[in-house]
Amino acid sequence: MTAQRTDERDNERRRAEHEPLLRIENVWKSFGTEQVFRGIDLEVDRGDVEVLVGPSGSGKSTLLRCVNRLTEIDEGAIYLDGERVTDADANVNELRQQVGMVFQDINLFAHLTARENVTLGLRRVRGFGKSEARDRADRELANVGLSDQVDSYPAQLSGGQKQRVGIARALAMDPKLMLFDEPTSALDPELSNSVLEVMERLVEAGMTMLVVTHEMRFARSAADSITFLEGGQVVERGPPERLFERPERERTREFLESIYG
Amino acid sequence: MIAASSTALPLETVEPIAAVAAEDWLFVLDNYEYLLAGAVITVALTATSIVLGLLLGFPAGAIELYGGRFSSGVVRKAGVAIRGTPILVIMVFTFFVFPLEWLYVLPASEPFQAAVLALGVRSAAYQSQIFRGALRSIDPGQLEAAQSIGMSKREAIGYVLVPQALRRSVPGFQNEFTIVLKDTSIAFAIGLGELLRHSHDLMTQQTTAALELFVFASLIYFLLTISTNRTLDYVNDRYAIPGEG
Ligand SMILES: Nc1ncnc2c1ncn2[C@@H]1O[C@H](COP(=O)(O)OP(=O)(O)OP(=O)(O)O)[C@@H](O)[C@H]1O
Ligand SMILES: [Mg+2]
């Protein structure tokens, strides 16, 4: 009994020390005859920010979607906090609570106010009471600079404001990991800034993030590492300084030049 | 000019027609209570059928779209069969064949029960399509966003898709309401004393009043249509999503 408990604690410690928060292991995926992934490996440590880049159609969105199982993988495994979340019997809804997702096309609940967008998950998934959920939602919305807009409906908000509600909605679930799929690419450049600022603050707060973005400034300042995805594989991975200044692969240099000029 | 027209239309021929018409209008007015009693049945039949159609149709639409292969197949085929059958045939079936005593909950005459069942089930077959179309028109990103915060598909449908689809169903529902209202007149065939039946009863008493009776009945159908459409317009505006459309 005692020995077992010590074992468990040891395991936990080992896991905390060595296990990355997110581990993607030899993932294969195809849509029909189209092979999107041919053995992807990627690890993201706690508190790290991984930026994912690659040409259109290289599977960046698909990889994020595989992590929270909006898309199922064909082969391989994905671990969150040491737990194999791609197992058929893993609890998908629980996994998704632990992984926040921010979409390119934002997808706010169109019939709900900003506040209700945040409280819905708190109430229905986390079981918060009404006033408790409201307080939490207002706090999350204040953190993204939207205290004045809590009662606005999505159609009454600017793109940047909507995306910040989207972030607040995800953060309210207290996720361990945040996934961002080109959160600013649908927005005007002036509107992107407010979203990027929120993301930068999240980085400072120590959130673990996997971010698909072509925002050069964010990638340089916030990323611990950048992964270049192409042809169903990780072509190259490294810290931004190295990848931008001295990429190992010619293909990486070409790609980064093509998007950052 | 004036002289020419008075020769073309002498007063003697105008007067008798006017006199006859006035008499027939008086007949309509004398019997307005009987006609309104028919109108009340029409309204009751419309309302009950629409509600039955809603209760059966909206879940059917959701099952057809999200149900398993078996349940959605059954619902879809039943819908096709019902939509492909003339309402008169359905009503004759519910009246003469269907064991109405199964519906002992309804405190109404047999023709009324048969008519409600026929109109309600037929309306359900159409309302299911209105609702299914509305559900399908909603961006799939809404479902994914709900699932991404940990909702089950069922919860996501219930809390996110259905409320939006209900709003989008109002215009189609408005149409359906008008159709059901007008089709209540089919219940004439199984002897239900609704508005058209009562107009017809009176016509057999005074055949010269046929036109007046049917103008009057049409006017009532028209007023009912207008007022329900106005009400649903109001509902549509009242529940519109702020900032949209
Ligand atoms: N549900 C799906 N069904 C079929 N094919 C799909 C599906 N989702 C993605 N694909 C295909 O998989 C490939 C990868 O798509 P994905 O959207 O992940 O690329 P991406 O890197 O995010 O591209 P972009 O930069 O344009 O967003 C594409 O060729 C796409 O057509
Ligand atoms: Mg993408």
Side-chain angles (χ1 to χ4, degrees), chain B:
Chain B
M1 275 304 268
I2 294 165
S5 70
S6 40
T7 25
L9 204 65
L11 272 177
E12 306 89 67
T13 51
V14 173
E15 233 171 20
I17 293 170
V20 170
E23 211 171 275
D24 288 332
W25 279 117
L26 277 176
F27 178 72
V28 169
L29 285 182
D30 281 346
N31 291 291
Y32 85 96
E33 274 187 25
Y34 186 64
L35 289 167
L36 286 189
V40 167
I41 297 290
T42 293
V43 169
L45 184 55
T46 307
T48 325
S49 305
I50 280 285
V51 169
L52 179 63
L54 190 89
L55 294 179
L56 294 175
F58 277 44
I63 291 170
E64 194 176 332
L65 193 56
Y66 299 116
R69 194 138 59 105
F70 178 75
S71 51
S72 69
V74 168
V75 169
R76 193 181 64 248
K77 287 187 187 111
V80 169
I82 294 166
R83 288 190 298 277
T85 309
I87 181 63
L88 183 56
V89 174
I90 301 178
M91 211 176 279
V92 166
F93 174 83
T94 57
F95 188 59
F96 289 107
V97 184
F98 186 82
L100 283 170
E101 58 274 15
W102 288 1
L103 303 178
Y104 43 83
V105 281
L106 278 182
S109 70
E110 288 222 332
F112 189 87
Q113 293 184 22
V116 164
L117 194 59
L119 289 165
V121 166
R122 204 270 306 245
S123 184
Y126 282 97
Q127 290 191 46
S128 70
Q129 300 309 291
I130 295 171
F131 192 54
R132 185 176 69 106
L135 279 169
R136 279 188 58 167
S137 75
I138 291 164
D139 185 343
Q142 295 281 309
L143 179 65
E144 293 196 337
Q147 289 180 305
S148 79
I149 54 173
M151 283 193 180
S152 65
K153 188 166 179 188
R154 195 179 284 256
E155 289 172 324
I157 291 169
Y159 294 123
V160 176
L161 299 190
V162 167
Q164 295 185 48
L166 283 176
R167 288 169 169 88
R168 290 193 191 179
S169 298
V170 175
F173 185 74
Q174 208 157 14
N175 250 336
E176 179 59 19
F177 202 100
T178 313
I179 291 168
V180 171
L181 170 66
K182 288 184 294 192
D183 281 357
T184 53
S185 59
I186 306 284
F188 187 133
I190 55 170
L192 181 62
E194 43 68 61
L195 177 56
L196 188 69
R197 176 85 193 192
H198 281 198
S199 307
H200 183 262
D201 289 348
L202 292 173
M203 193 193 78
T204 55
Q205 290 176 30
Q206 186 163 334
T207 47
T208 53
L211 178 66
E212 287 76 5
L213 283 163
F214 289 118
V215 166
F216 186 80
S218 304
L219 198 68
I220 292 182
Y221 282 120
F222 182 70
L223 286 176
L224 290 173
T225 306
I226 290 277
S227 49
T228 48
N229 275 351
R230 284 285 151 78
T231 310
L232 285 170
D233 279 342
Y234 172 78
V235 168
N236 203 19
D237 293 346
R238 171 75 181 68
Y239 290 100
I241 296 164
E244 281 189 356

Side-chain angles (χ1 to χ4, degrees), chain A residues 145-178:
Chain A
L146 290 174
S147 289
D148 296 341
Q149 307 288 345
V150 291
D151 290 319
S152 299
Y153 284 84
Q156 299 170 318
L157 296 172
S158 75
Q161 291 172 328
K162 274 192 272 198
Q163 193 56 291
R164 282 182 280 153
V165 177
I167 295 173
R169 176 176 69 180
L171 289 175
M173 308 308 286
D174 283 329
K176 293 175 178 168
L177 170 71
M178 284 287 288

Side-chain angles (χ1 to χ4, degrees), chain A residues 60-61 104 181-182:
Chain A
K60 305 178 295 295
S61 302
Q104 178 171 13
D181 191 359
E182 305 199 44

